[in-house]
Amino acid sequence: MYRRVIKPLFDISLAFFVLILLLPFIVITYIVVRVYIGKPVFFAQKRPGLNEKIFTIYKFRTMTNERDSNGELLPDEYRLKGAGKIIRSLSLDELPQLFNVIKGEMSLVGPRPLLIEYLPLYNSHQKRRHNVKPGITGLAQIKGRNSIRWEEKFDYDIEYVDNVSFLLDMKILYWTIIKVIKKDGISQNGNATMEKFQGTKN
């Protein structure tokens, strides 16, 4: 009942409320990205959602398009700087995903939607993360975000899938706010963001 009916209604209602509440921050972030990082202001990318259905996720862009002499994009740590680093540290880059929630493509809480290229790399256990809608935040995010190993993140994702409830969602939303304030787990040790998933070796 909660997963099929109450959770979707709760997601859309709260997403509208948060969107209105944080509208000034969204406008300010838009201006900062446009002035200090440039066009395009939004980062759009195809991601797998519920039952691996592909949708377009939206975020504020936090990295520049700086390239090397061969025309290749520079590593993340060179392109994530200044305004972009501040925006990401405050998780303001995630705010446009409220529109994904309102469209019904995402939930406020659920496993984070990852890259399409990871789909063939998941084992049968990890694939179960797609049995629920992806979320703006999730159990893995409050347990370490980018500071924990991929396998740990997936285990937390499946733990969430198996225990979806209103109380768990409230707990995750509460601790997400705390983590954002403390700026915990934003990057992986030795990396500006998170190294790519290469598959799990059995």
Side-chain angles (χ1 to χ4, degrees), residues 43 47 71 112 169 174:
F43 170 81
R47 299 283 179 93
R112 286 294 297 158
D169 281 358
Y174 169 78

Side-chain angles (χ1 to χ4, degrees), residues 5-36:
V5 180
I6 299 176
K7 183 175 171 66
L9 292 176
F10 174 77
D11 281 336
I12 294 174
S13 300
L14 187 55
F16 266 118
F17 174 76
V18 174
L19 189 63
I20 294 171
L21 183 68
L22 298 183
L23 187 58
F25 294 97
I26 293 173
V27 172
I28 291 171
T29 303
Y30 180 96
I31 294 171
V32 169
V33 173
R34 179 67 182 85
V35 172
Y36 292 99

Side-chain angles (χ1 to χ4, degrees), residues 69-100:
S69 56
N70 296 318
E72 298 292 329
L73 285 172
L74 294 175
D76 291 353
E77 58 265 29
Y78 294 104
R79 296 188 296 121
L80 180 62
K81 54 189 178 182
K85 187 175 290 187
I86 294 172
I87 289 169
R88 184 168 293 197
S89 71
L90 296 173
S91 295
L92 295 173
D93 58 315
E94 310 286 358
L95 292 180
Q97 289 165 54
L98 290 169
F99 291 103
N100 289 115

Side-chain angles (χ1 to χ4, degrees), residues 23-191:
L23 187 58
F25 294 97
I26 293 173
V27 172
I28 291 171
T29 303
Y30 180 96
I31 294 171
V32 169
V33 173
R34 179 67 182 85
V35 172
Y36 292 99
I37 300 176
K39 293 182 179 180
V41 172
F42 296 104
F43 170 81
Q45 190 176 59
K46 298 293 184 181
R47 299 283 179 93
L50 177 63
N51 299 321
E52 300 183 5
K53 181 179 179 180
I54 307 302
F55 72 101
T56 302
I57 192 174
Y58 296 99
K59 302 175 70 174
F60 279 117
R61 191 158 68 94
T62 56
M63 294 189 187
T64 67
N65 288 325
E66 293 177 88
R67 300 175 182 270
D68 59 22
S69 56
N70 296 318
E72 298 292 329
L73 285 172
L74 294 175
D76 291 353
E77 58 265 29
Y78 294 104
R79 296 188 296 121
L80 180 62
K81 54 189 178 182
K85 187 175 290 187
I86 294 172
I87 289 169
R88 184 168 293 197
S89 71
L90 296 173
S91 295
L92 295 173
D93 58 315
E94 310 286 358
L95 292 180
Q97 289 165 54
L98 290 169
F99 291 103
N100 289 115
V101 174
I102 292 170
K103 290 171 64 179
E105 299 165 332
M106 291 180 64
S107 175
L108 292 173
V109 179
R112 286 294 297 158
L114 302 176
L115 299 176
I116 293 176
E117 64 191 71
Y118 293 169
L119 287 176
L121 301 178
Y122 297 138
N123 58 34
S124 57
H125 172 71
Q126 294 162 351
K127 276 182 174 290
R128 294 184 57 227
R129 68 191 309 278
H130 294 291
N131 289 351
V132 297
K133 286 182 183 179
I136 294 179
T137 186
L139 189 59
Q141 280 59 55
I142 67 169
K143 294 293 187 177
R145 198 172 173 181
N146 289 334
S147 64
I148 58 177
R149 296 182 300 111
W150 279 111
E151 286 72 19
E152 292 178 277
K153 294 176 75 168
F154 295 145
D155 285 342
Y156 284 127
D157 288 343
I158 304 308
E159 181 181 341
Y160 176 79
V161 170
D162 291 338
N163 297 280
V164 177
S165 70
F166 178 75
L167 289 178
L168 180 57
D169 281 358
M170 291 301 97
K171 175 184 175 182
I172 292 172
L173 288 172
Y174 169 78
W175 280 106
T176 295
I177 295 172
I178 301 300
K179 292 286 184 178
V180 169
I181 293 173
K182 292 183 175 181
K183 301 179 183 179
D184 283 347
I186 296 168
S187 60
Q188 187 181 47
N189 289 336
N191 295 282

